[in-house]
Amino acid sequence: MKFTIPARSFAPLLLAFGMLAGCAGSLPPEAELTANPPQYQIAANDQLRVTVFDEESLSGEHVVTSEGNIAFPLLGDIPVAGQTPSDVRELIYERLSPDYMSDPRINVEVLSYRPVYVLGEVGRSGTYDYVPEMTATQAIAAAGGYTYRADKNRVVIRRRNDPQERTYELRSDRPVWVMPGDTITVGERYF
């Protein structure tokens, strides 16, 4: 005796799995999945230290305003949002030389970053300090690790300026980099 199941019996099941997959967010662009961490881009509320060697009056700490600027002596407001620290160094160099200084030596470092937020099936959901080159796995470890119900194979991340959540597969051969301001959600496993 041969037993067959009508194809229409699978339709509700396929629809349910399709809806669940859609809730998890879209897959990230392949360009985001690199072996090297992304370059950090400065944003509002970051605290920067700018050092101009042998010029104490030009060296100091600056908080990036909500408009994305820092107020720099002699130069006024400098737009820094969306730029890397090395970009800011070059920008200050170009504005100081040759009018104010010949060949200034400048260093720009980020003193404090925006936090990352870790939610879901972790030991302690909350706000955690970002450290350069942080991965999703490291952020989860800072949040107390996985709960027994956690899906340890994927994570959902909403980037600071991206309205859409994206699902990332956690693999040992390719890190998932996080950036300051990211919200990382660890879901529940299904089985």
Side-chain angles (χ1 to χ4, degrees):
M1 180 171 163
K2 191 173 184 183
F3 182 72
T4 59
I5 299 174
R8 68 177 179 268
S9 298
F10 286 110
L13 186 59
L14 291 174
L15 179 63
F17 279 123
M19 288 171 52
L20 283 173
C23 293
S26 66
L27 293 176
E30 195 61 34
E32 283 188 28
L33 302 174
T34 63
N36 298 321
Q39 292 252 333
Y40 179 72
Q41 294 185 339
I42 295 168
N45 298 322
D46 283 346
Q47 186 175 4
L48 306 178
R49 177 182 292 142
V50 179
T51 306
V52 181
F53 295 100
D54 295 329
E55 292 294 331
E56 254 184 65
S57 63
L58 296 179
S59 299
E61 296 178 4
H62 307 274
V63 176
V64 180
T65 66
S66 59
E67 291 83 28
N69 301 320
I70 60 170
F72 196 80
L74 294 177
L75 304 178
D77 286 346
I78 298 176
V80 298
Q83 299 188 50
T84 66
S86 60
D87 292 339
V88 174
R89 183 181 59 77
E90 289 298 317
L91 182 61
I92 294 172
Y93 178 90
E94 289 170 3
R95 290 191 178 189
L96 281 177
S97 65
D99 295 338
Y100 296 105
M101 300 176 71
S102 62
D103 196 30
R105 292 178 303 157
I106 302 164
N107 185 46
V108 176
E109 63 182 308
V110 180
L111 294 178
S112 64
Y113 298 91
R114 297 174 310 282
V116 295
Y117 308 93
V118 186
L119 308 171
E121 295 298 324
V122 293
R124 296 176 311 275
S125 291
T127 303
Y128 293 92
D129 291 337
Y130 171 82
V131 293
E133 301 185 11
M134 181 180 243
T135 65
T137 305
Q138 291 167 336
I140 292 165
Y146 296 105
T147 65
Y148 71 94
R149 293 185 306 252
D151 180 355
K152 298 177 184 176
N153 297 319
R154 62 191 54 82
V155 66
V156 176
I157 298 177
R158 175 172 286 167
R159 303 285 180 196
R160 185 179 61 85
N161 287 329
D162 189 353
Q164 186 174 11
E165 294 180 331
R166 299 186 190 278
T167 302
Y168 294 84
E169 185 179 341
L170 296 175
R171 296 177 13 190
S172 61
D173 64 331
R174 185 170 57 192
V176 176
W177 304 105
V178 297
M179 296 300 291
D182 284 357
T183 300
I184 303 152
T185 305
V186 176
E188 216 174 301
R189 70 176 186 271
Y190 295 113
F191 301 102

